[in-house]
Amino acid sequence: MFAGWGGRDVWWRGWMLATLAVLLGAALFFHSEIPNAVGNLGSLWETFLPWGGVLIPVLAVLAVLRRSVLALVALLVPALVWLNLFGGQFTTKSGTGGDLTVVTHNVNAGNPDPAGTARELAGSGADIVALEEVSGGQAAQYDKGLAGAYRYHKRVGTVGVWSKYPMRDARTIDIKMGWPRAMRATVATPKGDVAVYAAHLPSVRLQFASGFTAGQRDGSAEALGRAIAEDRTGKAVLLGDLNGTMNDRALAPVTSQMRSTQGAAGDGPGFSWPASFPTTRIDQIMVKGMEPVSSWSLPSTGSDHLPVAASVNF
C-alpha cells in the first residue's frame, strides 16, 4: 500500500500541491482581504466560504496519488483554518424554551401552493412570522391562511409581519430600491417592546462578464443598517432574505451590530437555499439586545427557500 513512499524525495515531491494547500489556507483565513474591486470576488468567495473545505480532501487524494508527504503536511494549514472557522457549527449549541419564537420565510412569488405554505407557517407555533416575496396575486391567501393564528399583521409591498401580539408604528424602511421591500413595526410582547424588521434585500447574480453583481444589494444593506442603528427601542429582531451570508463583508452594516441566532444557538450550518439542496444560508434571523436560545430550519414548503426559525430570551 505504501510502496513508493520511501526515500528522501517524498519530502519534496508534490511541491505544487503543497503550494495550493497553503494558498487555500490563506484564502480561508484572509477571506475578508480578498478584494471586491473585480467582479465582487471577495463577496462571492465569502458566500460559499464553508464549501472551501471541500477542496481539502480533493487535494489530500492528489497528495496520496503523488506520494507527497510535503503536500499532506501542508494540508494541515487549510484543515486547521477551516476547523477554526466552521468546526463550531457542528457542536450542539441550541437550548430549550425562550421568551419569543420567530420565523422568517421567502415564500417565492411563484409558489404553487401559497395556501399550503400559509397553513404550515401558521402551525409552526411562532409568535411572529415574517414573509418575503409575497406577490400581489397571492397576498390574500397568506392573509387568510395566517389570520387564525395571528391576530395582528401588516404588509408593505412584498414583505409582511404577522404577530400574536399587538403591533404599532408599522412603516416602510427605505432600502433604496424604488419600491417597498423592507418594513419595521413595534411588537408589544408580554416581556416588553421589540422592534421587528422584515427585509428582502436585492438579489445577486453570478455572470461571466460582470462577475458577482451585488452592488444594489450592498447599497440596500447600508440603508438597512442605518435604520437599525438609529432605532432606539433597545431590543430588535431582523427577519429576512438578505441574499448574503454572515461571512459576506458587504452585509457588515447590518451584521456588525446584530447577532445571528444560527451562529449563536443553531446546530449545523443552517443552510436555507435552494430548498431542494441547501448549500448556503441567505435567510437570516438576527437580534440586538436579546439572547439567542435556539435556531433551526423548518420543513420545505412550496418555496425555493426553507423557512428558518429561532427562539430568543429577553
Side-chain angles (χ1 to χ4, degrees):
M1 176 179 177
F2 295 100
W5 284 83
R8 296 171 58 184
D9 63 339
V10 299
W11 289 99
W12 59 264
R13 73 165 68 123
W15 62 269
M16 291 185 65
L17 289 174
T19 301
L20 289 174
V22 173
L23 289 175
L24 175 59
L28 289 167
F29 188 80
F30 296 106
H31 62 87
S32 62
E33 303 302 321
I34 297 175
N36 261 340
V38 179
N40 282 306
L41 183 61
S43 286
L44 175 61
W45 173 241
E46 288 172 328
T47 297
F48 298 100
L49 193 62
W51 292 98
V54 172
L55 298 175
I56 298 173
V58 172
L59 290 174
V61 170
L62 293 175
V64 170
L65 293 175
R66 187 69 179 87
R67 299 183 177 89
S68 171
V69 174
L70 175 64
L72 289 173
V73 171
L75 278 169
L76 289 173
V77 175
L80 291 174
V81 173
W82 190 92
L83 286 172
N84 180 63
L85 289 172
F86 303 110
Q89 292 184 355
F90 299 93
T91 60
T92 300
K93 303 188 293 292
S94 61
T96 58
D99 296 327
L100 188 71
T101 299
V102 296
V103 165
T104 182
H105 189 26
N106 179 325
V107 294
N108 186 0
N111 192 319
D113 185 18
T117 296
R119 283 195 302 270
E120 292 185 39
L121 295 173
S124 67
D127 301 303
I128 298 172
V129 172
L131 301 185
E132 304 85 47
E133 212 166 292
V134 179
S135 68
Q138 297 182 343
Q141 295 185 68
Y142 290 110
D143 290 344
K144 180 179 178 181
L146 294 169
Y150 302 98
R151 180 178 176 183
Y152 308 93
H153 87 274
K154 176 69 175 180
R155 280 188 291 104
V156 171
T158 57
V159 300
V161 173
W162 283 256
S163 172
K164 292 182 178 180
Y165 306 124
M167 294 170 55
R168 66 179 189 275
D169 304 331
R171 67 177 188 271
T172 299
I173 298 296
D174 182 10
I175 57 172
K176 311 303 179 184
M177 291 191 65
W179 69 93
R181 287 218 326 195
M183 63 170 288
R184 178 213 182 274
T186 302
V187 176
T189 80
K191 293 284 187 175
D193 287 352
V194 180
V196 177
Y197 288 82
H200 185 192
L201 297 190
S203 298
V204 296
R205 296 287 185 268
L206 182 58
Q207 299 173 329
F208 179 78
S210 54
F212 192 56
T213 56
Q216 189 179 24
R217 184 217 47 188
D218 299 351
S220 290
E222 291 182 9
L224 179 61
R226 284 195 299 271
I228 295 171
E230 294 168 358
D231 199 304
R232 296 294 177 257
T233 306
K235 301 185 187 305
V237 177
L238 170 60
L239 307 166
D241 173 5
L242 303 189
N243 273 304
T245 69
M246 294 296 294
N247 294 313
D248 190 339
R249 91 287 297 269
L251 297 185
V254 176
T255 58
S256 63
Q257 58 178 318
M258 304 193 83
R259 192 177 183 191
S260 164
T261 58
Q262 183 66 28
D267 297 335
F271 294 152
S272 63
W273 180 88
S276 57
F277 186 76
T279 57
T280 188
R281 183 182 178 88
I282 59 176
D283 301 277
Q284 308 291 353
I285 298 176
M286 285 182 269
V287 295
K288 184 178 182 179
M290 307 176 79
E291 185 67 24
V293 175
S294 57
S295 188
W296 65 97
S297 298
L298 295 173
S300 178
T301 68
S303 173
D304 57 341
H305 293 244
L306 293 179
V308 295
S311 290
V312 298
N313 276 337
F314 279 64

